[in-house]
């Protein structure tokens, strides 16, 4: 009997352990999150080569709310999807660049050479994609078989590499001997040419079915088009060179925003087996080129997709939405309805920043319900997920509101004394300054300021003093966070130029047929600058501004790309070196001079990035070898090293609207290769009207010009910002304070800020207003019924009174 008892005990312990693995507490039912988590934990770097192919992929709907290019600039992209949006924009930008640069050979004279970028250009480009963007884990360019031309080998004209696929991924350098501190810096990268492998090894051929995890390759390649090949989307660039000569260049590229499907395709989450050994999600965009090359017969050349850009990020970093399906969460979503909110009295609302783990939501009260008096804010999902059964079933409920008020259908002017009362509370609305003077008031009137900003146009800007066209810096509060993706695009290009100038030496001599990359060319800088504008719809202009005599064979060089409408197919590109007036020379721009002075001598604070590069042994690419400098490193600016300008109206520039500029510096060796020096600046121009205004209260030291300008009744409600409203007033909601309740019969439980602002202006303009009705009332009983205790107490008091 003893061994039977031991067996039953062991089985019970095992069952308990399995239960703990499947769910946190016994009251929680097993759901799709547990299934996915178990599948992810089952696959490791040691057993992934022998796992079934289906186990290396997660369901396609495990990533929800994937950014759609047709929804960008139409509906707001909330913070829990900005990382995916940046992945989308980066892949699109790189595909536009490579499509442009591979076809610009038709601009130049036909000589017995190729104008394609060298191999080191591809390697360092993928390194910059990862090094400047913490959320991007890997970047690669995969070419179709025999589609990649290169100038990196002597006598290789009009020949193709069998396979070519430069890829960079971030390495865990915790135990790396380079870093003796034993700290993960996230600044060490593994760079490989995945096109170099033995020809008889199908499992290493990324174009083969035996590669197993190459779904990203199959999204666009090979380009087996049925019918005509010349249906690839075309884009037009009007180029103006430094000598004032003009040229219009038309090239083929990825699909445009108005096409179905768009330019970006997404893969299912997959385990990157044998490479980074992480669960990744990839955005894939094709690269177009003209084939066949160098035939002398242009009429037989046709466009086709020859390669694909693949940008990958960690699946663990992507927020999941556990709320039920509904408006804003209509699916597909594998994790829908896995939240623990009590549906009888609460509803689920996702919050960002949780990644792939439970609890990234809050449970707020349904309409006609309120929070208990002892609760201050909505119930956090993280706390609910960790609750025991007793805590869960006895808490996290909202209380029903007793009396419900009907919305008023008719309202009148506010009485004179009441109007004076409100104007005393907001004195900036008494005899307020109009026009440009509204910017200089001691207490800003947000509506007058916004009216002035909207009144300045391209036709009227010249009638204002130049100082009136420059706003205070605190008006752009929040730009660093809301335009972070766009500033990363500028930092990425600055990072790449720094890497190329410090790593690639055109005078270096290698053994064999391999030759060093040539210096950066005019076309490459044109293409890189243009790709910033084409890749991110919020960037209206971008420029690469080189310091005097720092670009090869040029005194001044500053390519500027810009657009004149949203989502165009026609762009403009010009070299600002053609401007010779002192006030027009880009060297005198305040942001250029600021960064030049800031980085004139001391470079110690720059980020240091390490690379472990392995490239092909020879042109046929049968195996890999270490790069001659292994490992190597370069220094570049991170996001915080850049400079934000204050908002200004670009009256004399190319983008005649209210904009902001973010500038990031890049660096290279001096002529003796002894120390670093400032080489120039990459700048992007962003529209001010895409910036959300925050009118809610904040700390006294927060530099926000519109801080605490909301119109919520402060005695019974508080202000909560609403994202996506843009540069307009009313981007908030008035939520009831603890101990108060929303009294109206409505589908909401708060007062919308836009409605509150509008009704307040009606008071100022002496028009009928219902502003007084936007009040939360004191939370009363949950129902209307008599209390025996109260009636008994009243009866005893009356008896005592009448007796005496």
């Amino acid at each position: 009997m003893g061994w039977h008892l031991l067996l039953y005990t062991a089985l019970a312990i095992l069952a308990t352990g399995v239960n703990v693995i499947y769910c946190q507490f016994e009251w929680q039912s097993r759901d799709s999150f547990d299934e996915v988590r178990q599948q992810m934990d089952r696959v490791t770097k040691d057993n992934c080569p022998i796992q079934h192919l289906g186990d290396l992929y997660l369901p396609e709907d495990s990533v929800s709310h994937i950014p759609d290019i047709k929804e960008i600039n139409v509906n707001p992209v909330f913070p829990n999807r900005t990382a995916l949006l940046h992945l989308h924009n980066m892949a699109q930008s790189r595909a536009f660049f490579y499509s442009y640069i591979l076809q610009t050979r038709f601009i130049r004279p036909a000589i017995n050479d190729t104008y394609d970028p060298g191999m080191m250009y591809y390697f360092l480009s993928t390194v910059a994609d990862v090094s400047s963007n913490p959320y991007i884990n890997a970047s690669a360019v995969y070419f179709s078989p025999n589609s990649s031309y290169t100038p990196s080998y002597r006598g290789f004209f009009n020949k193709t590499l069998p396979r070519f696929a430069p890829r960079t991924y971030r390495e865990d350098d915790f135990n790396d001997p380079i870093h003796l501190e034993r700290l993960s810096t996230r600044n060490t990268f593994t760079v490989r040419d995945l096109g170099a492998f033995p020809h008889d090894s199908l499992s290493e051929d990324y174009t083969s079915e035996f590669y197993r995890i190459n779904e990203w390759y199959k999204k666009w390649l090979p380009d087996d088009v049925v019918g005509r090949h010349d249906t690839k989307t075309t884009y037009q660039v009007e180029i103006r060179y430094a000598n004032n000569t003009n040229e219009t260049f038309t090239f083929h590229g990825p699909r445009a925003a108005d096409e179905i499907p768009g330019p970006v395709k997404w893969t299912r989450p997959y385990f990157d087996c044998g490479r980074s050994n992480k669960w990744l999600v990839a955005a894939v965009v094709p690269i177009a080129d003209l084939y066949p090359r160098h035939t002398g017969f242009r009429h037989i050349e046709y466009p086709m997709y020859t390669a694909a850009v693949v940008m990958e990020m960690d699946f663990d970093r992507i927020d999941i939405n556990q709320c039920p399906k509904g408006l804003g969460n209509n699916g597909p979503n594998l994790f829908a309805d896995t939240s623990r909110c009590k549906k009888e009295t609460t509803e689920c609302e996702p919050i960002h920043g949780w990644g792939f783990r439970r609890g990234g939501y809050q449970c707020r009260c349904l309409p006609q319900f309120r929070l208990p008096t002892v609760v201050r804010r909505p119930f956090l999902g993280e706390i609910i997920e960790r609750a025991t059964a007793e805590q869960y079933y006895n808490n996290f409920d909202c209380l029903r509101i007793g009396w419900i008020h009907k919305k008023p259908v008719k309202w009148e002017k506010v009485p004179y004394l009441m109007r004076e009362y409100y104007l005393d509370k907001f004195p900036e609305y008494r005899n307020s300054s109009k026009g440009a003077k509204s910017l200089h008031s001691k207490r800003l009137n947000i509506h007058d300021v916004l009216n002035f900003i909207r009144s300045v146009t391209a036709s009227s800007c010249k009638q204002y003093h130049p100082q009136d066209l420059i706003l205070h810096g605190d008006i752009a509060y929040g730009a660093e966070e809301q335009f972070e993706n766009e500033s990363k695009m500028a930092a990425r290009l600055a990072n790449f130029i720094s890497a190329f100038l410090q790593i690639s030496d055109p005078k270096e001599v290698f053994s064999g047929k391999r030759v060093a990359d040539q210096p950066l060319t005019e076309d490459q800088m044109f293409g890189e600058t243009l790709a910033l504008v084409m890749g991110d719809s919020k960037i209206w202009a971008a420029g690469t501004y080189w310091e005097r005599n720092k670009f090869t064979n040029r005194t001044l060089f500053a390519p500027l790309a810009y657009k004149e409408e949203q989502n165009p197919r026609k762009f403009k590109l010009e070299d600002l070196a053609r401007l010779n007036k002192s006030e027009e020379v880009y060297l005198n721009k305040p942001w250029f001079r600021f960064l030049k002075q800031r980085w004139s001598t001391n470079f110690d604070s720059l980020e240091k990035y390490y690379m472990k590069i392995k490239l092909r042994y020879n042109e046929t690419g049968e195996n890999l070898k270490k790069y001659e400098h292994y490992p190597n490193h370069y220094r570049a600016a991170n996001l915080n090293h850049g400079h934000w300008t204050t908002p200004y109206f670009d009256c004399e520039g190319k983008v005649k609207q209210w904009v902001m500029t973010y500038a990031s510096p890049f660096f290279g060796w001096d002529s003796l290769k002894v120390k670093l020096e400032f080489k120039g600046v990459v700048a992007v121009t962003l529209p001010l009207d895409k910036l959300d205004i925050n009118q809610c209260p904040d700390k006294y030291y927060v530099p926000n010009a519109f801080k605490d300008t909301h119109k919520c009744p402060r005695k019974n409600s508080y202000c909560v910002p609403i994202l996506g409203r843009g540069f307009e007033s009313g981007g908030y909601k008035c939520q009831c304070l603890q101990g108060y309740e929303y009294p109206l019969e409505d589908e909401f439980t708060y007062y919308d800020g836009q409605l509150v602002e509008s009704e307040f202006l009606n008071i100022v303009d002496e028009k009928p207003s219902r502003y007084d009705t936007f009040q939360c009332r004191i939370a009363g009983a949950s129902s209307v019924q008599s209390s025996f205790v109260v009636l008994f107490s009243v009866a005893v008091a009356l008896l005592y009174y009448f007796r005496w």
Side-chain angles (χ1 to χ4, degrees):
M1 290 298 294
W3 68 273
H4 286 290
L5 182 60
L6 290 175
L7 178 61
Y8 294 148
T9 305
L11 290 175
I13 294 174
L14 180 61
T16 305
V18 172
N19 191 27
V20 170
I21 293 174
Y22 282 170
C23 52
Q24 193 169 7
F25 294 107
E26 66 278 358
W27 64 269
Q28 297 178 349
S29 59
R30 184 178 175 86
D31 55 25
S32 55
F33 180 89
D34 300 311
E35 300 284 350
V36 171
R37 183 77 266 176
Q38 184 182 13
Q39 180 180 349
M40 293 175 63
D41 294 339
R42 191 166 53 239
V43 181
T44 64
K45 67 177 182 179
D46 298 319
N47 64 18
C48 68
I50 60 174
Q51 289 280 356
H52 186 273
L53 180 61
D55 293 334
L56 298 180
Y57 288 95
L58 298 180
E60 190 170 2
D61 56 352
S62 56
V63 180
S64 62
H65 304 75
I66 291 178
D68 185 358
I69 193 171
K70 295 174 179 55
E71 295 291 326
I72 300 172
N73 298 315
V74 177
N75 294 322
V77 177
F78 292 102
N80 63 341
R81 283 301 177 268
T82 51
L84 276 176
L85 176 61
H86 184 55
L87 195 74
H88 172 285
N89 293 341
M90 280 291 297
Q92 188 176 222
S93 173
R94 302 315 302 148
F96 276 120
F97 166 74
Y98 288 119
S99 298
Y100 174 87
I101 200 64
L102 292 177
Q103 298 172 55
T104 50
R105 65 184 184 276
F106 297 116
I107 301 180
R108 302 305 169 200
I111 59 175
N112 193 23
D113 196 359
T114 176
Y115 294 98
D116 293 298
M119 286 198 302
M120 190 55 63
Y121 194 104
Y122 283 99
F123 288 136
L124 297 180
S125 178
T126 58
V127 169
D129 297 338
V130 182
S131 64
S132 58
N133 303 282
Y135 286 96
I136 295 181
N137 186 71
S139 173
V141 181
Y142 297 93
F143 278 88
S144 294
N146 298 307
S147 297
S148 174
Y149 295 83
T150 180
S152 296
Y153 289 96
R154 194 175 294 109
F156 208 71
F157 174 72
N158 209 20
K159 294 182 180 179
T160 58
L161 300 174
R163 304 286 190 278
F164 183 52
R167 183 176 188 264
T168 297
Y169 66 86
R170 183 174 281 105
E171 187 178 286
D172 183 8
D173 57 359
F174 178 78
N175 288 319
D176 199 292
I178 298 175
H179 305 288
L180 300 178
E181 304 91 350
R182 291 297 183 266
L183 296 173
S184 294
T185 65
R186 303 178 66 195
N187 287 347
T188 301
F189 311 104
T190 298
V191 189
R192 297 286 185 273
D193 181 0
L194 300 183
F197 57 89
H199 296 323
D200 56 350
S201 178
L202 293 178
S203 63
E204 297 184 48
D205 183 1
Y206 59 83
T207 68
S208 169
E209 293 289 342
F210 296 96
Y211 202 77
R212 307 218 306 164
I213 57 170
N214 59 350
E215 185 181 71
W216 27 260
Y217 181 83
K218 302 172 186 175
K219 289 292 183 181
W220 294 103
L221 302 174
D223 187 16
D224 297 328
V225 179
V226 178
R228 296 171 59 93
H229 273 267
D230 58 354
T231 56
K232 297 293 185 292
T233 308
T234 58
Y235 300 88
Q236 191 177 89
V237 185
E238 297 179 4
I239 306 175
R240 190 172 187 180
Y241 296 101
N243 58 2
N244 278 321
T245 59
N246 299 329
E247 182 174 14
T248 299
F249 176 59
T250 301
F251 70 98
H252 301 270
R255 291 175 176 172
D258 57 342
E259 295 185 88
I260 299 176
V264 182
K265 290 184 179 180
W266 298 84
T267 66
R268 294 175 292 171
Y270 63 94
F271 190 81
D272 195 34
C273 183
R275 309 197 300 181
S276 61
N277 295 311
K278 294 181 178 180
W279 288 95
L280 304 178
V281 176
V284 189
V285 186
I287 298 171
D289 197 0
L290 294 180
Y291 274 81
R293 281 194 179 189
H294 307 293
T295 63
F297 303 97
R298 292 293 305 274
H299 64 280
I300 67 171
E301 296 174 347
Y302 58 87
M304 63 180 295
Y305 294 145
T306 61
V309 173
V310 180
M311 293 281 175
E312 300 155 300
M313 70 176 296
D314 289 343
F315 177 69
D316 284 339
R317 287 179 172 268
I318 302 176
D319 291 351
I320 60 174
N321 190 342
Q322 295 183 252
C323 297
K325 288 187 177 182
L327 293 176
N329 185 27
N330 53 2
N333 182 5
L334 180 65
F335 306 107
D337 205 14
T338 58
S339 66
R340 311 293 183 187
C341 293
K342 296 186 175 180
K343 298 181 179 179
E344 298 81 10
T345 62
T346 63
E347 60 183 354
C348 176
E349 179 183 26
I351 51 181
H352 69 277
W354 253 250
F356 185 73
R357 61 189 180 102
R358 290 187 182 274
Y361 60 90
Q362 62 182 9
C363 303
R364 63 183 187 187
C365 296
L366 285 169
Q368 303 181 18
F369 287 87
R370 64 170 175 83
L371 288 170
T373 310
V374 295
V375 179
R376 181 174 298 177
R377 296 291 188 266
F379 305 111
L380 281 178
E382 186 180 23
I383 296 177
I384 297 176
E385 296 282 353
R386 295 180 180 180
T388 62
E390 182 181 0
Q391 291 172 333
Y392 178 74
Y393 291 114
N394 294 328
N395 296 284
F396 311 119
D397 275 307
C398 290
L399 305 178
R400 180 174 289 278
I401 296 174
W403 290 99
I404 303 297
H405 293 176
K406 291 287 186 179
K407 280 187 175 182
V409 295
K410 186 178 180 181
W411 46 90
E412 299 176 349
K413 290 183 180 180
V414 173
Y416 172 78
L417 292 179
M418 186 60 68
R419 180 178 182 272
E420 291 298 312
Y421 167 76
Y422 286 125
L423 292 181
D424 286 341
K425 290 181 63 176
F426 300 97
E428 64 270 21
Y429 287 88
R430 288 186 185 272
N431 300 321
S432 58
S433 301
K434 306 296 181 182
K437 294 182 180 180
S438 62
L439 296 171
H440 310 295
S441 302
K442 185 176 181 181
R443 183 168 175 175
L444 287 185
N445 182 326
I446 182 173
H447 295 97
D448 287 339
V449 171
L450 295 179
N451 288 335
F452 163 70
I453 291 176
R454 284 192 290 264
S455 67
V456 182
T457 62
S459 59
S460 64
C461 63
K462 293 185 182 297
Q463 68 186 24
Y464 293 96
H465 192 280
Q467 290 184 351
D468 294 334
L469 300 181
I470 301 176
L471 304 179
H472 301 299
D474 54 0
I475 288 181
Y477 170 75
E480 292 86 349
E481 178 182 359
Q482 297 179 40
F483 291 145
E484 182 180 7
N485 286 349
E486 288 67 37
S487 59
K488 285 179 180 177
M489 300 284 280
R492 183 258 156 214
L493 179 52
N495 206 301
F496 163 72
I497 298 176
S498 298
F500 195 89
L501 295 179
Q502 297 173 43
I503 300 297
S504 179
D505 185 1
K507 298 180 180 179
E508 191 168 7
V509 178
F510 301 108
S511 60
K513 295 182 179 179
R514 187 160 63 91
V515 296
D517 280 25
Q518 295 301 309
L520 295 173
T521 66
E522 182 183 52
D523 288 334
Q524 290 169 356
M525 291 296 96
F526 276 165
E528 291 282 4
T529 308
L530 178 65
L532 294 179
V533 181
M534 300 183 74
D536 195 313
S537 60
K538 283 187 179 180
I539 298 177
W540 278 75
T544 306
Y545 305 89
W546 288 76
E547 172 67 323
R548 189 185 303 273
N549 295 321
K550 299 306 179 184
F551 190 77
T552 307
N553 299 326
R554 295 287 295 273
T555 302
L556 296 177
F557 182 54
L560 172 71
Y562 61 97
K563 60 187 179 183
E564 296 178 336
E565 60 182 5
Q566 196 68 264
N567 295 326
R569 296 194 188 185
K570 180 184 294 185
F571 299 84
K572 295 192 175 182
L573 187 60
E574 65 176 88
D575 186 355
L576 295 184
R578 68 182 183 81
L579 303 176
N580 51 21
K581 294 181 181 179
S582 58
E583 65 272 13
E584 295 178 338
V585 176
Y586 64 86
L587 298 176
N588 296 327
K589 297 291 184 183
W591 41 265
F592 189 95
R593 297 175 62 182
F594 173 84
L595 288 174
K596 181 180 178 180
Q597 293 170 5
R598 165 66 180 85
W599 299 102
S600 59
T601 55
N602 190 353
F603 307 98
D604 293 340
S605 61
L606 293 177
E607 288 282 349
K608 196 173 186 179
Y609 300 102
Y610 288 89
M611 297 175 295
K612 298 178 180 179
I613 303 177
K614 286 189 177 181
L615 40 78
R616 57 182 59 225
Y617 180 76
N618 54 20
E619 57 266 38
T620 57
E622 296 177 357
N623 47 49
L624 290 170
K625 70 170 185 178
K626 292 181 179 179
Y627 180 56
E628 280 72 9
H629 309 280
Y630 186 93
N632 53 1
H633 68 272
Y634 69 94
R635 288 184 176 272
N638 61 28
L639 204 61
N640 297 325
H641 292 149
H643 173 65
W644 284 95
T645 68
T646 59
Y648 62 96
F649 194 91
D650 193 16
C651 193
E652 301 295 336
K654 304 299 181 182
V655 184
K656 295 185 179 347
Q657 55 179 292
W658 289 99
V659 294
M660 298 178 59
T661 295
Y662 173 81
S664 181
F666 54 86
F667 309 90
W669 296 113
D670 61 2
S671 58
L672 300 177
K673 295 196 69 173
V674 174
K675 64 181 182 67
L676 293 178
E677 66 178 6
F678 173 82
K679 293 288 187 179
V681 165
V682 176
V684 292
T685 301
L686 311 167
L688 184 64
D689 61 357
K690 297 296 182 182
L691 182 69
D692 287 339
I693 290 177
N694 189 342
Q695 295 182 244
C696 295
D698 212 328
K699 304 284 193 310
Y700 69 91
Y701 52 80
V702 174
N704 181 5
F706 303 120
K707 176 176 59 181
D708 205 18
T709 59
H710 68 95
K711 307 303 184 299
C712 295
R714 300 169 189 264
K715 291 183 179 180
N716 50 51
S717 64
Y718 63 96
C719 175
V720 179
I722 295 179
L723 301 178
R725 296 285 175 90
F727 207 72
E728 298 285 345
S729 63
Y732 60 89
K733 59 181 178 181
C734 300
Q735 199 84 38
C736 294
L737 282 170
Q738 183 180 7
Y740 290 84
E741 62 188 19
Y742 183 79
L744 300 179
E745 185 179 24
D746 200 349
E747 58 182 359
F748 303 109
T749 58
Y750 58 85
Y751 298 106
D752 191 285
Q754 288 183 337
L755 187 60
V756 172
E757 294 280 339
S758 175
E759 295 299 328
F760 179 81
L761 287 181
N762 286 340
I763 293 179
V764 176
D765 298 336
E766 298 186 78
K767 297 179 181 178
S769 174
R770 50 179 168 164
Y771 180 74
D772 269 348
T773 65
F774 299 151
Q775 302 281 342
C776 294
R777 70 184 182 194
I778 296 178
S782 59
S783 61
V784 182
Q785 59 185 11
S786 59
S787 172
F788 175 76
V789 176
V790 174
L791 292 177
F792 180 77
S793 302
V794 171
V796 171
L798 289 174
L799 284 174
Y800 182 80
Y801 176 78
F802 285 112
R803 182 177 179 184
W804 294 98

